[in-house]
Amino acid sequence: MKKIEAIVRKTKFEEIKESLMAADIEWFSYYDVRGVGKTRQERIYRGVVYDTSYIERILLTIVVRDVNVDKTVEAILKTARTGEIGDGRIFISTVDDAIRIRTGERGDISLYNVAQ
């Protein structure tokens, strides 16, 4: 099993969600996050200086079987890429075990009801 964490533009979230659903990835968590990038800017609005270097993003956390890693990453890449700075990052790490609390099932079977 692998854990895929993707930090993506907030404006691309709905497209990414649809792309993941089309790839049969039906379960994931997401969080509103902020980050700091290379670009530093300040904007002045009505005499008040605002720091706009904080970037609003969405962090997707998806745990998938090994066979689903490539199609999950491709679904994210296909829809998240704009070609501009700030498209985000994808991190993939190994998950040693997973347990479904309701049934006590362990391993791959705990991720979904049907083998995918």
Side-chain angles (χ1 to χ4, degrees), residues 33-105:
V33 296
R34 292 179 188 234
V36 179
K38 288 183 180 180
T39 306
R40 302 268 189 251
Q41 13 178 339
E42 292 180 345
R43 302 233 170 134
I44 299 174
Y45 179 73
R46 295 188 178 183
V48 178
V49 178
Y50 293 94
D51 181 3
T52 59
S53 60
Y54 298 104
I55 304 167
E56 290 189 350
R57 297 285 184 250
I58 298 284
L59 170 64
L60 303 170
T61 302
I62 311 162
V63 178
V64 297
R65 293 184 172 102
D66 291 340
V67 297
N68 292 332
V69 172
D70 290 337
K71 74 177 184 177
T72 304
V73 169
E74 281 303 313
I76 296 168
L77 283 175
K78 180 177 67 174
T79 51
R81 181 180 291 146
T82 67
E84 299 174 8
I85 293 174
D87 278 349
R89 300 272 191 277
I90 297 174
F91 305 98
I92 303 171
S93 55
T94 302
V95 174
D96 294 328
D97 200 2
I99 303 165
R100 185 181 303 193
I101 294 172
R102 178 176 53 87
T103 62
E105 295 168 316

Side-chain angles (χ1 to χ4, degrees), residues 22 31 104:
Y31 314 90

